[in-house]
Amino acid sequence: MPSDRRIVTDVPGPRSLELAARRALAVPAAVGTTLPVYVQRAADGLLEDVDGNCFVDLGSGISVTNVGNSAPEVVAAVAEQLPRFTHTCFQVTPYEGYVAVCERLNALTPGHHAKRSLLVNSGAEAVENAVKIARYATRRQAVVAFDHGFHGRTLLAMSLTGKAMPYKHGFGPFAPEVYRAPYSDPFRHTGRLEDTISWIETMVAPEDIACVVVEPICGEGGFVVPEPGWLSGLARWCGEHGVLVVADEVQTGMGRTGAWFACAHEHVVPDLVVTAKSLGGGLPLGAVTGRAELMDAVHPGGLGGTFGGNPLACAASLAVFEAISSKDLLGRARHIEQMVLPRLQKQVSPTGPVGDARGRGAMLAVELVAGDGRTPAPQLARAVAESCHRQGVLMLTAGTYGNVIRLLPPLVISDGLLDDGLGVLESALEAI
Ligand code: PLZ
């Protein structure tokens, strides 16, 4: 595996173009592609494509490979499990790995109360199950989600998601009893706590609300970091009305923001925490972790699925927990913030295209604007991302308006590679 950024062909190169032609006849165009180079190897913040180009990875497969791609600990744990058994279905004959992952989640998610966890296969499935549990335990039906929220692509998760294109357009009707409230957006001065609460109280009676489903920092919605006090104020209001707080930590979780879970920055103790993405270190795994009395309320057999908590994914996950602790990756995430955020902030100007720089830990972004300093400029975000791609830096966009460039480097990336990738981003931003 090469150790540096290296571009040796056009991007995409000839082998990738051949594969793209095959793909066009085999895979629907509805499945999008950020950077159409076909990967052959990845490790330590680098992705090597089939033409020998090597990209600095500032996306981590959308916040999945926090501990690195094919991290040695994960590879060893999966290799050890693989010849023992690949599947039994935990509901048919259980195994220790599942229980051990749940123990780790119960110990590390915010709050010292008794907890239980349920393992599933994805973020969307975890969100769906959290709402099932919240409805069951409260005997209430309404669910409140927020502007800029993304919670997945299955029916209920899609119904909770705020953005029509590309996630919802043409896929209705959506699940009922979903209400959407304003999310705190300090850059746009919208969604102050009082507004959010009065909006909710106007739309639906609090005693009918089972739960709010909220990201501590909006991920797909554009790395919107709510005003200090917004999340804790919302949680306080929920507590006063018997409304459960479901924290969607799918993108923010497992050390990404410099704490195990981003709710901790606001001292919020959610009733239910939803995790996925980096939980499985690259293998598919999601979870719902919650107060024991809520999780235990559901009748035996009411929750489950064939693959949930697959033994290989559990082995990988235990290695992820171990790697985050032993390599102090929470500290690394905070270090990445200190190294990167000031440089992004230097790009911000009231008249230039970079309207805002923000984020926490290794979840950082710039928002691109035009004209009055507030009008979203998605075309600039696309141009910057494409310029980075041509130069060998994988960069993701985000945002309700598509105008945010987001950085999600693996937490194990070296300072050298990160500095290199950031330099490319800075010059792409300066060139627009
Ligand atoms: N909740 C907060 O970020 C997934 C979406 C990629 P799944 N985000 C990446 C895409 O275009 O579909 C996500 C998330 C938050 C839930 C999910 C859903 O997780 O594992 O993709 O289902």
Side-chain angles (χ1 to χ4, degrees):
M1 180 81 205
S3 55
D4 284 308
R5 177 166 63 99
R6 184 177 74 191
I7 294 299
V8 294
T9 69
D10 288 344
V11 175
R15 273 291 291 142
S16 279
L17 287 174
E18 274 170 41
L19 288 165
R22 275 173 57 196
R23 176 203 153 117
L25 298 177
V27 181
V31 181
T33 305
T34 301
L35 170 56
V37 299
Y38 284 70
V39 173
Q40 64 174 348
R41 274 189 302 190
D44 297 332
L46 284 169
L47 292 165
E48 187 188 30
D49 77 9
V50 287
D51 292 291
N53 298 305
C54 208
F55 296 81
V56 177
D57 178 12
L58 298 186
S60 299
I62 325 189
S63 201
V64 169
T65 54
N66 289 9
V67 301
N69 213 314
S70 297
E73 306 85 340
V74 172
V75 171
V78 174
E80 196 274 326
Q81 175 61 39
L82 193 51
R84 293 201 295 124
F85 59 97
T86 48
H87 174 81
T88 64
C89 185
F90 188 74
Q91 286 150 252
V92 177
T93 46
Y95 40 89
E96 183 179 351
Y98 187 118
V99 178
V101 171
C102 295
E103 287 169 346
R104 301 294 281 149
L105 282 167
N106 296 346
L108 290 168
T109 48
H112 299 296
H113 49 279
K115 293 176 207 152
R116 308 276 187 266
S117 290
L118 160 77
L119 300 185
V120 293
N121 301 293
S122 68
E125 198 186 351
V127 168
E128 300 262 347
N129 276 282
V131 173
K132 280 168 69 172
I133 294 161
R135 283 178 165 161
Y136 198 108
T138 60
R139 307 278 165 194
R140 301 175 178 185
Q141 294 189 354
V143 181
V144 173
F146 295 88
D147 292 338
H148 309 300
F150 182 93
H151 301 288
R153 292 179 184 257
T154 54
L155 179 60
L156 178 55
M158 171 177 66
S159 304
L160 295 171
T161 292
K163 190 174 169 178
M165 273 307 271
Y167 308 124
K168 302 175 80 167
H169 168 65
F171 298 137
F174 303 108
E177 286 305 311
V178 171
Y179 299 84
R180 188 171 318 288
Y183 191 85
S184 167
D185 182 345
F187 177 57
R188 294 180 187 282
H189 306 294
T190 55
R192 289 175 36 243
L193 180 62
E194 310 79 75
D195 303 336
T196 301
I197 288 172
S198 76
W199 187 278
I200 297 174
E201 287 176 340
T202 310
M203 300 298 284
V204 52
E207 60 269 30
D208 292 333
I209 306 174
C211 60
V212 302
V213 180
V214 62
E215 291 168 84
I217 296 175
C218 279
E220 301 305 307
F223 286 21
V224 182
V225 185
E227 205 126 57
W230 184 84
L231 192 62
S232 52
L234 177 69
R236 198 174 329 109
W237 178 88
C238 288
E240 286 161 12
H241 293 87
V243 173
L244 302 181
V245 175
V246 177
D248 183 340
E249 294 258 12
V250 168
Q251 192 154 160
T252 50
M254 303 300 285
R256 173 55 58 188
T257 67
W260 278 100
F261 298 98
C263 279
H265 298 295
E266 275 273 321
H267 308 291
V268 165
V269 177
D271 300 291
L272 298 163
V273 178
V274 173
T275 49
K277 288 194 188 284
S278 51
L279 176 63
L283 276 80
L285 188 64
V288 184
T289 302
R291 294 184 185 280
E293 65 275 19
L294 303 174
M295 302 292 289
D296 286 341
V298 180
H299 54 273
L303 302 170
T306 304
F307 286 122
N310 167 271
L312 298 172
C314 288
S317 182
L318 291 171
V320 167
F321 282 109
E322 177 53 33
I324 292 175
S325 301
S326 66
K327 295 183 169 168
D328 185 26
L329 295 184
L330 306 185
R332 271 301 295 172
R334 292 190 292 266
H335 168 80
I336 290 171
E337 175 181 334
Q338 281 160 16
M339 185 174 151
V340 177
L341 191 55
R343 281 171 66 176
L344 297 179
Q345 279 161 342
K346 271 204 196 113
Q347 301 281 332
V348 176
S349 91
T351 51
V354 182
D356 193 24
R358 57 179 179 251
R360 231 190 242 288
M363 184 172 184
L364 302 164
V366 287
E367 174 155 354
L368 300 182
V369 291
D372 56 4
R374 285 287 182 283
T375 307
Q379 71 287 1
L380 295 184
R382 260 195 314 275
V384 168
E386 280 165 15
S387 163
C388 292
H389 296 165
R390 278 193 303 274
Q391 296 175 72
V393 179
L394 171 57
M395 197 64 84
L396 302 177
T397 58
T400 300
Y401 316 108
N403 65 326
V404 173
I405 297 274
R406 58 172 151 172
L407 283 77
L408 287 165
L411 307 181
V412 293
I413 195 170
S414 69
D415 283 358
L417 273 185
L418 185 57
D419 176 61
D420 179 41
L422 193 56
V424 170
L425 172 63
E426 285 167 331
S427 42
L429 288 170
E430 279 150 20
I432 56 175

